[in-house]
Amino acid sequence: MQARPFATRTSVASCTLAVLFSALIGTAVYAQVPDGHYVFGAFSPSRGDVGIFTAHPRTPGTPTAIANMQGDLRTSGASCILYRRSDGAILAGERAPVGASVDLHVIWLNGSSVLYDASISVGTGGSCCGEIPQMAMLSDDRVVVAVTDVSAGPLKNILTTSYGWQGLGIVDTTSGLVTSIPITNGTQIVDVFNGLALSPDETTVYAATYVSSTVGDIWAVPIKGGAATKLATVGGGISNLTVDANGDVWVTTLNSVKAFYKVDAKTGTATAVTQLNGSLNALVYDEVTGNFAVLSANSGMPARSLFWMEPNGTDHLLSSPNFAILSGIDINPSPEIVGFETPATASYAWVLPNPDELPLVGNQNFGLTISATGISRPGWSFFCLDRAKTPFQLLGVDVFVDLTTYFAQVALPLAPVNRIPLPLPNDSNLVGARILLQNFYVGDSVKPFGASPAIEFSVL
């Protein structure tokens, strides 16, 4: 596609964006999980369909089932899900049959069908329900897991009162190595792990237990091992955890009248958030909007349903598909930050949560915002169609976009904050079209140029 520079004046120009989007019609590109979509699991075949599913984050409808499931994911289902941004793989933790291997699956798709599934055993299931109830991704793509009711394996470390042996560990999905996270006072944790999250600095694992229908505990564990500290107690058996942009912990429980909590990670103060959709079985923080993707439990209202939820507890029903127990959810974010900045006279960061929310087709108010910390300088935002296959340096800055696919630019005026308006036409042909932006800035005699990270979004 031939480059088309924007006509700009002294401020960000939006009048030429119609040209940009008309040029993109027909260029839809889809990730393994479509950009911006939710991916979630279901287990317990006696209640309905099990497996892994994807769904649009705002358009209600029946989720898309991923075909050609392998191993126990096909028969007993998935209890937790992660989306791996580095390559688009889906990671799924099993709830395994009695006596079977409890596996972590790494799945690549061809469209909406499994192309390849590599499974890693984290132990042997015990007499009840060997399971990976929740897991979290480290920045180097290793995976922190909680494993429960195992009769053998490297994570058979803590004996619970009702659910056999359990433990925490780290799985390297490249080598297959499973390493235990030793908890020196693990004998104090007698209740079953049922939720797990990771602090933003990756130094602390939050492991949550189901104590009873009205009580759940959150334990803070050093990721390198050591003594666990009880961070908080909430009014329901915990089903899932997630951590927001501020580092606070959000909790779902199976208590149908007290199912949603916010926990201050510094003080441990737990605040119940009023919500009307009953017991909840999974959640994940949406970094793009500051909201949550949520799955209701058997006592949900309605049961076993998919929602997006606001931090104040307001729920928005997306689907009640009559599947099995919905469990484990993640998001392939859109927009998504790619790479890192090259500071010059200022540091440049894309603002998330995005003030203009999601890139929904027809959203005339969509845009992206960049902020500068330090002495801001004028710059240019370059629009491209693809990421660089390998990031490279140009004039001293790190470039993460494929400049051979560059097709437009817009000037960024001297300001500590620039909003780049990107009003999206109401044209269904644009759905799936992907755009990458990276900003380049004038510096000074010491650092002549600076750059933001790239940011990528697809029209939803």
Side-chain angles (χ1 to χ4, degrees):
M1 183 179 293
Q2 186 175 359
R4 294 187 183 182
F6 270 86
T8 58
R9 298 180 181 174
T10 57
S11 62
V12 175
S14 60
C15 61
T16 58
L17 290 175
V19 177
L20 186 161
F21 290 111
S22 66
L24 288 174
I25 290 177
T27 64
V29 180
Y30 292 94
Q32 295 193 57
V33 173
D35 288 347
H37 283 54
Y38 299 162
V39 55
F40 62 95
F43 71 90
S44 188
S46 63
R47 292 186 177 272
D49 292 344
V50 301
I52 301 175
F53 308 86
T54 63
H56 193 281
R58 290 295 181 271
T59 303
T62 302
T64 298
I66 293 175
N68 196 30
M69 287 284 105
Q70 301 297 303
D72 291 331
L73 294 180
R74 181 177 63 250
T75 54
S76 56
S79 63
C80 64
I81 295 288
L82 287 177
Y83 174 79
R84 190 163 69 188
R85 300 184 190 184
S86 62
D87 63 355
I90 299 170
L91 276 61
E94 287 183 349
R95 183 161 183 159
V98 173
S101 175
V102 181
D103 294 333
L104 170 60
H105 294 253
V106 184
I107 299 166
W108 290 267
L109 301 181
N110 179 16
S112 58
S113 179
V114 173
L115 175 67
Y116 181 70
D117 181 332
S119 61
I120 300 167
S121 178
V122 296
T124 302
S127 60
C128 167
C129 39
E131 182 179 21
I132 304 173
Q134 198 172 9
M135 52 192 176
M137 190 81 69
L138 290 161
S139 56
D140 62 5
D141 280 352
R142 293 179 301 151
V143 185
V144 183
V145 298
V147 177
T148 59
D149 188 35
V150 286
S151 60
L155 305 185
K156 181 188 172 185
N157 295 325
I158 300 170
L159 182 62
T160 68
T161 54
S162 303
Y163 289 92
W165 291 86
Q166 66 182 1
L168 302 180
I170 298 175
V171 180
D172 186 325
T173 59
T174 300
S175 67
L177 180 65
V178 181
T179 305
S180 174
I181 298 176
I183 302 176
T184 55
N185 59 339
T187 54
Q188 297 180 23
I189 306 174
V190 297
D191 301 296
V192 65
F193 291 137
N194 211 27
L196 182 143
L198 190 63
S199 65
D201 62 6
E202 300 187 353
T203 63
T204 303
V205 179
Y206 300 114
T209 60
Y210 183 100
V211 179
S212 71
S213 61
T214 58
V215 178
D217 293 330
I218 302 173
W219 296 82
V221 181
I223 197 166
K224 294 182 179 180
T229 303
K230 188 182 291 187
L231 175 67
T233 297
V234 300
I238 295 174
S239 55
N240 248 199
L241 301 179
T242 193
V243 174
D244 68 16
N246 296 319
D248 291 323
V249 183
W250 292 77
V251 185
T252 55
T253 85
L254 297 176
N255 185 334
S256 60
V257 295
K258 291 185 178 180
F260 195 33
Y261 287 83
K262 178 182 179 181
V263 175
D264 187 310
K266 297 183 180 65
T267 66
T269 301
T271 303
V273 180
T274 301
Q275 37 81 230
L276 300 177
N277 51 346
S279 63
L280 303 175
N281 207 36
L283 86 164
V284 66
Y285 175 69
D286 182 354
E287 65 186 48
V288 173
T289 66
N291 297 307
F292 300 90
V294 175
L295 302 173
S296 67
N298 290 329
S299 297
M301 299 174 60
R304 302 191 303 280
S305 295
L306 171 67
F307 303 82
W308 71 271
M309 284 182 63
E310 301 175 42
N312 65 8
T314 301
D315 65 81
H316 305 266
L317 179 64
L318 291 171
S319 182
S320 295
N322 199 31
F323 294 161
I325 297 173
L326 304 186
S327 179
I329 189 166
D330 207 354
I331 303 172
N332 177 9
S334 181
E336 177 183 355
I337 293 172
V338 178
F340 46 83
E341 62 170 326
T342 303
T345 59
S347 297
Y348 300 95
W350 295 101
V351 175
L352 290 178
N354 182 29
D356 297 317
E357 296 267 327
L358 295 171
L360 299 172
V361 66
N363 180 4
Q364 294 294 313
N365 296 316
F366 183 69
L368 297 169
T369 300
I370 189 84
S371 67
T373 302
I375 302 172
S376 62
R377 300 284 189 177
W380 298 265
S381 189
F382 280 67
F383 291 73
C384 298
L385 294 177
D386 206 353
R387 302 186 187 190
K389 290 183 175 58
T390 303
F392 61 96
Q393 281 209 336
L394 178 66
L395 300 176
V397 303
D398 292 292
V399 180
F400 297 94
V401 294
D402 181 354
L403 293 176
T404 67
T405 66
Y406 154 80
F407 64 96
Q409 65 175 302
V410 64
L412 302 172
L414 178 63
V417 177
N418 281 141
R419 178 183 179 272
I420 302 171
L422 296 163
L424 299 175
N426 191 17
D427 187 336
S428 60
N429 291 310
L430 285 171
V431 173
R434 181 184 297 169
I435 301 173
L436 287 94
L437 287 72
Q438 187 170 4
N439 300 344
F440 301 93
Y441 297 90
V442 174
D444 57 20
S445 59
V446 178
K447 293 185 176 179
F449 298 99
S452 72
I455 192 167
E456 170 185 293
F457 74 91
S458 291
V459 181
L460 306 180

